[in-house]
Every structure is written in structure tokens, then in C-alpha cells.
Amino acid sequence: MPWALPDSDDALLRLAKGYPYAAPDGSYLYREGESAALRGPLDPALTAGRVPVIAHGSNRAPEQIHRKFGHLTGAASEIPVTRAWLTDHDVVYSAHMTRYGSISATLHEAPGTRVQVYVTWLTEAQLPRMHETEIGAGNYAYGRMGGVKLAVEAGPELTEAFAYLSVHGCLADPEQPEAPLALAAVPAERRVHRHVDQETALAVLHAAHHPEDDLDAMILANIKDVPRRRRLVEALQHAAVPWSVPGFELIVK
């Protein structure tokens, strides 16, 4: 089951515009709705037997992890989340709007760029729940990224990890339609793509597809009217920049 949306329009708008939500300034351990900083060298026992899944959007934020895993208690709820830097990639907007009104993130190759991501270390029991929230809506595909340079904070560098990538492609930059738009909320070094915040990205959709409404009305209408949102996503796909992540091997779609 997907996580529940808030009831009020104000709360829906905060949720939509708040993506990708705040992530701690460093690695942390999530447990039962709380996050505790992980300092010093990473204890290998914390990640042993777990699957390293790159979190490039909202899954890096404790509040989003809680929305998805808040039903778990005790040790079953524990998820180590390590900050990392991914070389030759950037975090860009996907060419789709989520059911909660945000334009979510995906990865895209960007030679020379080094982008900050997080790694959620999931147990085999937790992975199906993450699949349910990512793949269940038909927006993401899950697979293995091989041959990467993923420098994990206070831990060993990874050359292989797993990730969810948008099946819709990347949101095209209206100023450079052949290029994607990057997320300003996600730090990066030597970024080559134009980066904007969530509200500016939503304004791109507003101007191109629903100029008759104001921005907030457009967001709320697409949250509440599923066929309308599907038509919007179809229109975005037609103009999308095809995603490119070398070394990605599809596992589940």
C-alpha cells in the first residue's frame, strides 16, 4: 500500500513543494521515526548483509523514510543511511509528477560532475516495501549500477550499488530542451546542467501545460484528478530527455 497523503490543501502543497525534503548533514541511522547521526568510521556490522540502494531524491530524507517504513518497530525498522558522492552523474528531475504533486528525481550521466547522494542500506525484508513505494506506481525501475565510483562517507568506496531510475526519462530544460534540469537542493561539484528548486521546476510544468490555472491550483488539480495527472505525464514524456546511466542493469520494472 502507498503511504497516506495529508487531508488539507495547505499540507498537500507543502508536501509537493518540499521535495526532496531535508536530509541530515551526514550519515545517520533511522529507527522508529528517529534519526541518529553516524560519526567516525562506519561500523561494517551496520551494513553487513544489507543491500546498498542509492537514494538520490526523497529517500535520502528521514521524513520520507518514515512515511514508507513507519509501520516497522524495533530492529526491523533500522536503516543505516550513509552520505556519499557519486562521480560522473547528476541528480535531475524526472519527466513525471508524483501522486503527491512533486516532480521527483532520477539519475543521469554527467561526465565530470560529482553529486551528493545517500545510500540506504536495506535488509532483504525491507527491500520489497521500497519496491512497493517506488515501482508500484509504475514510475521507477530498479536495477544494478556497475562500474561506478561511489565514495561513501567514512566507509569503503563502492563500485556497485542499486538504484531506482525513472521510466519516464528526464524533465527537459525549457532553455535547453536537449538537456535535463538538475535539483538545486542536491549539492554537486562541477555541475553542467542548469539547476532549479522544486517550485521553479513545477512552474515549468505550469507554464507549458496548465497556464490557465495559478501554480497552486495546478498542483492540487493534478494531485486530486488522476486522469489529468496521467495526461500531464504523457505530455512530459513526449518532450523528455532519455535517461542515460551507463552500467545500469535492469532487475525489476
Side-chain angles (χ1 to χ4, degrees), residues 108-247:
H108 189 68
E109 70 170 326
T113 297
R114 189 168 178 257
V115 68
Q116 187 185 100
V117 295
Y118 287 69
V119 179
T120 52
W121 296 85
L122 304 177
T123 65
E124 293 293 344
Q126 292 166 342
L127 194 57
R129 172 56 179 165
M130 190 65 88
H131 281 358
E132 184 180 36
T133 64
E134 296 292 331
I135 301 171
N139 293 318
Y140 284 92
Y142 173 78
R144 180 185 295 105
M145 290 178 62
V148 297
K149 288 184 64 177
L150 185 60
V152 177
E153 183 177 73
E157 181 171 287
L158 299 179
T159 57
E160 177 183 283
F162 298 82
Y164 296 96
L165 300 183
S166 171
V167 301
H168 303 293
C170 310
L171 182 66
D173 182 348
E175 296 184 8
Q176 298 177 295
E178 74 287 352
L181 272 174
L183 274 73
V186 176
E189 300 171 352
R190 299 180 297 278
R191 179 168 262 159
V192 296
H193 301 307
R194 189 164 70 96
H195 54 280
V196 300
D197 62 19
Q198 177 67 212
E199 192 159 353
T200 302
L202 285 165
V204 170
L205 272 59
H206 173 237
H209 300 280
H210 293 293
E212 71 280 3
D213 299 324
D214 66 32
L215 179 61
D216 287 358
M218 183 275 290
I219 295 169
L220 292 171
N222 279 288
I223 292 172
K224 297 174 182 181
D225 187 336
V226 175
R228 173 179 166 137
R229 187 170 71 251
R230 287 176 177 162
R231 291 192 297 271
L232 173 61
V233 172
E234 289 174 1
L236 294 174
Q237 284 181 286
H238 288 308
V241 176
W243 64 263
S244 177
V245 179

Side-chain angles (χ1 to χ4, degrees), residues 82-102:
T82 53
R83 190 167 60 174
W85 288 87
L86 179 62
T87 298
D88 293 333
H89 293 78
D90 202 354
V91 175
V92 303
Y93 287 100
S94 168
H96 86 281
M97 176 182 275
T98 68
R99 67 187 181 92
Y100 48 94
S102 299

Side-chain angles (χ1 to χ4, degrees), residues 20-95:
Y21 316 115
D25 185 23
S27 302
Y28 66 96
L29 179 67
Y30 168 88
R31 180 184 171 110
E32 293 188 336
E34 302 293 332
S35 57
L38 293 174
R39 306 189 189 281
L42 185 64
D43 182 355
L46 272 178
T47 59
R50 291 175 176 263
V51 181
V53 182
I54 295 173
H56 47 72
S58 63
N59 289 339
R60 58 199 247 298
E63 68 176 277
Q64 189 75 328
I65 291 177
H66 186 61
R67 291 185 185 106
K68 299 182 177 189
F69 294 94
H71 61 291
L72 298 179
T73 58
S77 72
E78 288 187 354
I79 301 176
V81 183
T82 53
R83 190 167 60 174
W85 288 87
L86 179 62
T87 298
D88 293 333
H89 293 78
D90 202 354
V91 175
V92 303
Y93 287 100
S94 168

